Amino acid sequence: MFKRSRRAALLAALAAGSLALTACGGGDDGSSGSAKELKLWHYEGPDSAMGVAWNQAIKEFEASHPGVKVKFEEKGFEQIQKTAPMVLNSKDAPDIMEYNKGNATAGLLAKQGLLTDLTPQVTKRGWDKLLGPTIQTTAKYDAKGVMGGDKWFGIPNYAEYLQVYYNKDMFEKNNVKVPTTFDEFVTALDTFAKKGITPLSNAGAEYMAQQYLYQLALTKADQTWVDNFERYTGKVDFHDAAWTYGATTFADWVKKGYIAKNSVSIKAEDAGTTFISGKFPMMFSGSWWYGRFQKEIKNFEWGTFLWPDTNLTLGSSGNLWVVPQGSKNKDLAYDFIDITMKKGIQNTLGNNGGVPVAADEADVTDAKSKELIKNFTTLTGKNALAYYPDWPVAGFYDTFVAQTQKLINGSATPDKVLTDLQKAYDSGLPK
């Protein structure tokens, strides 16, 4: 998912390219005139389900638009996350780009006037008919940038959720049963730990650690709790039973050796590759790893299971196609989005380890992909998707990373961590 080796160079290039800032906004007529190029950015690896499907979409776009070439530039997730406001407010803005969903990202850019309101195109092209209510929530924002609003500022063409990936060979070798309850899950963690095997791959320097903590909190939460936290519909108390359980249990799991202390500086890419290498029996992370694991895990059998005994888990629509307000070729951008919503591209997503939003399930033939989609259907069927912990307020991602690192290295108590999360959350709420 991330391209760390290129990150520094790409950040430098972005910064250099953004020296000449232009005024925000501009025309919204969507005209592409005699354009010969569509400038597209996304951050999916070429072997991921999205990378494979979107490469196919690029070919179909060029075939259906003679004389127009897609100028694709691969970016990094965090690169775009950190620099998007600066880049989109410059002459270097792409015509279309992938961007993270949520109040602190797409919502913030929409509020700042940096994204095109796609509502007329949604109605005209029928995209709303292809996306269920849960998926639509993260594509629509109000004037304050809060998701679930009345205008479309992005279009997701896939979905995602978190699950536990496990190494079947390590389970069998250590006589560990695949857990179906939370107690069995803890027993499995404890069995591996007592054998000197750290059971959970983790990345303290990026999103993974905070997602463990959030999932633990979700086991004690309900939908009202999620809406209060993510959509500001009620008071949020970081010292309530759910957050307290999440933080204290996460810290306890570090002490017991379920999560390695040296994972404090590990990044998500490294956590994923160490699971691929067979060094960890389990990893709790997103469906975005699925296609890659299908292609790269060669030396052991693997499977997945949903976090046991919880009514809520992390997940949502996938990231969004957004059209910057400064796009020079909006009509072409809309055409490209339209192609990614077609059955052919959706079926390709489904057969390469992605979770399509508008595929013909009969055309998804890969057995593992069917299992992935089945699990997603199970979660959406009980309205179990609870989004992500870094979404509510701008800058919360970095705050959450820093605070969970303190739990891993023991430099702060769960109570202190929750107090600091409360301060960051409260200070970032819309005024």
Side-chain angles (χ1 to χ4, degrees), residues 7-219:
R7 180 178 174 221
L10 287 168
L11 276 171
L14 267 176
S18 302
L19 291 177
L21 296 180
T22 62
C24 173
D28 191 23
D29 58 7
S31 62
S32 298
S34 57
K36 301 297 183 185
E37 181 179 276
L38 176 69
K39 191 174 179 182
L40 182 154
W41 291 1
H42 73 67
Y43 43 82
E44 304 296 340
D47 295 329
S48 69
M50 284 67 75
V52 171
W54 295 349
N55 281 338
Q56 180 180 326
I58 289 173
K59 292 177 183 176
E60 292 188 14
F61 175 89
E62 291 181 338
S64 60
H65 294 74
V68 180
K69 289 291 182 185
V70 176
K71 184 181 180 182
F72 165 57
E73 296 181 36
E74 183 179 345
K75 305 294 181 183
F77 172 85
E78 293 202 2
Q79 172 194 15
I80 290 181
Q81 171 114 337
K82 293 179 184 303
T83 61
M86 178 175 63
V87 174
L88 297 193
N89 204 18
S90 80
K91 64 181 178 59
D92 298 318
D95 297 311
I96 178 174
M97 61 183 274
E98 177 188 14
Y99 197 57
N100 203 9
K101 62 279 178 190
N103 301 342
T105 46
L108 179 62
L109 295 192
K111 177 184 174 183
Q112 293 173 335
L114 296 175
L115 301 182
T116 301
D117 177 5
L118 301 176
T119 307
Q121 293 298 320
V122 169
T123 303
K124 175 182 176 181
R125 297 173 186 259
W127 295 333
D128 52 337
K129 305 295 191 299
L130 301 174
L131 301 170
T134 302
I135 300 299
Q136 290 189 18
T137 298
T138 53
K140 300 163 71 175
Y141 296 86
D142 65 16
K144 292 183 177 180
V146 179
M147 65 182 186
D150 56 343
K151 293 183 178 179
W152 295 73
F153 285 95
I155 301 297
N157 73 346
Y158 69 99
E160 61 187 34
Y161 63 94
L162 268 65
Q163 59 193 337
V164 181
Y165 296 90
Y166 73 101
N167 183 321
K168 290 184 177 180
D169 292 3
M170 292 184 77
F171 269 59
E172 183 176 346
K173 181 179 178 180
N174 292 281
N175 197 28
V176 176
K177 176 186 174 184
V178 178
T180 58
T181 67
F182 187 72
D183 287 344
E184 290 178 358
F185 185 41
V186 173
T187 298
L189 298 175
D190 204 51
T191 300
F192 282 115
K194 287 178 177 175
K195 290 174 177 282
I197 302 169
T198 303
L200 295 170
S201 185
N202 178 51
E206 290 182 348
Y207 62 87
M208 203 173 285
Q210 62 185 261
Q211 294 181 349
Y212 278 109
L213 190 157
Y214 187 55
Q215 178 59 73
L216 287 163
L218 288 175
T219 63

Side-chain angles (χ1 to χ4, degrees), residues 346-366:
Q346 289 288 300
N347 292 341
T348 296
L349 265 169
N351 278 312
N352 284 275
V355 183
V357 294
D360 185 340
E361 290 190 22
D363 289 331
V364 177
T365 56
D366 180 81

